Amino acid sequence: EIVLTQSPGTLSLSPGERATLSCRASQSVSSSYLAWYQQKPGQAPRLLIYGASSRATGIPDRFSGSGSGTDFTLTISRLEPEDFAVYYCQQYGSSPETFGQGTKLEIK
Amino acid sequence: QVQLVQSGSELKKPGASVKVSCKAAGYTFTTHAMNWVRQAPGQGLEWMGWINTNTGNPTYAQGFTGRFVFSLDTSVSTAYLQIISLKAEDTAVYYCARDLLPFHGGATGFDPWGQGTLVTVSS
């Protein structure tokens, strides 16, 4: 099983700042089959990025994904108030599909 | 639009069973795999497995074998999760989530997700 470790656990930033979230895999993620999700309290997760760097439909271009192998990054270029949430990475290249433990992005 | 609508919250006693439904709309139900994901209170996301909506064949992640059953009714574009012999530790929100891409489109993330169904197990 591929273990995904996200860092930091909590990130405190202000609107307008740049956010960089990390996801490290215990072994290589095949074909960059990595996704990022955003989850707000009381809501279902929302797909942001798949294939490590492809934005899902309707996702603003301030969200970008990068990385390959074992190291992946989600970058939010300029934080908007609605971006403060919990973010999860997921690998779906090998079974079982696994999620990271999440990074909480909070307002500073 | 493409959407998944799940059944409402459930309160069950230990030892009982529950069946959660996930009705799909806005696309051809049998063209995309359906996944189930658990989120315990205050915790992260845990993939439970998936069901092939074309063949009905389920695949369960480790830890979700035996008491968890995935099924379909393709006539009403609905997937089901049944949990048998409920335990207190089954208390969680359960999500259905469709594969973004259709079968033969390659491995993919999940989109859309159902709104979630809270299952509470308490005596």
Side-chain angles (χ1 to χ4, degrees):
Chain A
E1 172 177 324
I2 296 179
V3 176
L4 299 179
T5 302
Q6 293 186 239
S7 62
T10 302
L11 184 57
S12 300
L13 293 170
S14 301
E17 291 192 293
R18 180 185 186 92
T20 303
L21 286 66
S22 173
C23 177
R24 178 161 291 178
S26 61
Q27 54 190 282
S28 185
V29 176
S30 62
S31 304
S32 294
Y33 285 152
L34 187 112
W36 290 93
Y37 299 87
Q38 176 193 70
Q39 187 179 33
K40 297 180 180 179
Q43 296 185 16
R46 177 174 71 144
L47 178 67
L48 300 174
I49 301 287
Y50 63 97
S53 60
S54 297
R55 267 189 304 276
T57 302
I59 301 303
D61 61 7
R62 64 179 182 275
F63 291 90
S64 63
S66 62
S68 63
T70 60
D71 288 298
F72 298 87
T73 301
L74 175 70
T75 301
I76 311 172
S77 59
R78 289 179 318 279
L79 285 166
E80 297 287 342
E82 62 267 28
D83 298 337
F84 292 91
V86 178
Y87 291 83
Y88 295 95
C89 58
Q90 176 210 20
Q91 70 79 24
Y92 50 90
S94 65
S95 190
E97 304 185 23
T98 49
F99 291 90
Q101 83 281 14
T103 289
K104 181 179 182 181
L105 178 55
E106 64 176 24
I107 300 177
K108 187 174 183 180
Chain B
Q1 75 279 21
V2 176
Q3 62 177 348
L4 303 175
V5 179
Q6 297 185 226
S7 49
S9 297
E10 300 270 9
L11 174 59
K12 295 290 185 180
K13 295 188 184 304
S17 296
V18 69
K19 195 169 188 178
V20 175
S21 67
C22 169
K23 184 172 177 60
Y27 72 100
T28 303
F29 182 66
T30 53
T31 57
H32 293 68
M34 190 69 76
N35 300 271
W36 289 95
V37 177
R38 182 171 76 177
Q39 187 168 38
Q43 302 301 307
L45 304 170
E46 188 175 16
W47 181 69
M48 301 172 65
W50 68 285
I51 186 165
N52 186 320
T53 55
N54 201 29
T55 65
N57 184 50
T59 299
Y60 301 98
Q62 197 169 16
F64 294 100
T65 56
R67 297 191 301 113
F68 299 83
V69 181
F70 305 151
S71 62
L72 305 171
D73 184 342
T74 56
S75 69
V76 289
S77 300
T78 301
Y80 300 95
L81 163 65
Q82 185 176 20
I83 312 173
I84 301 163
S85 300
L86 283 160
K87 305 176 181 180
E89 52 263 40
D90 294 325
T91 295
V93 175
Y94 292 85
Y95 294 101
C96 58
R98 192 199 73 168
D99 269 10
L100 173 65
L101 299 178
F103 296 120
H104 310 301
T108 177
F110 301 162
D111 183 67
W113 293 57
Q115 82 276 20
T117 296
L118 174 62
V119 175
T120 303
V121 184
S122 174
S123 55

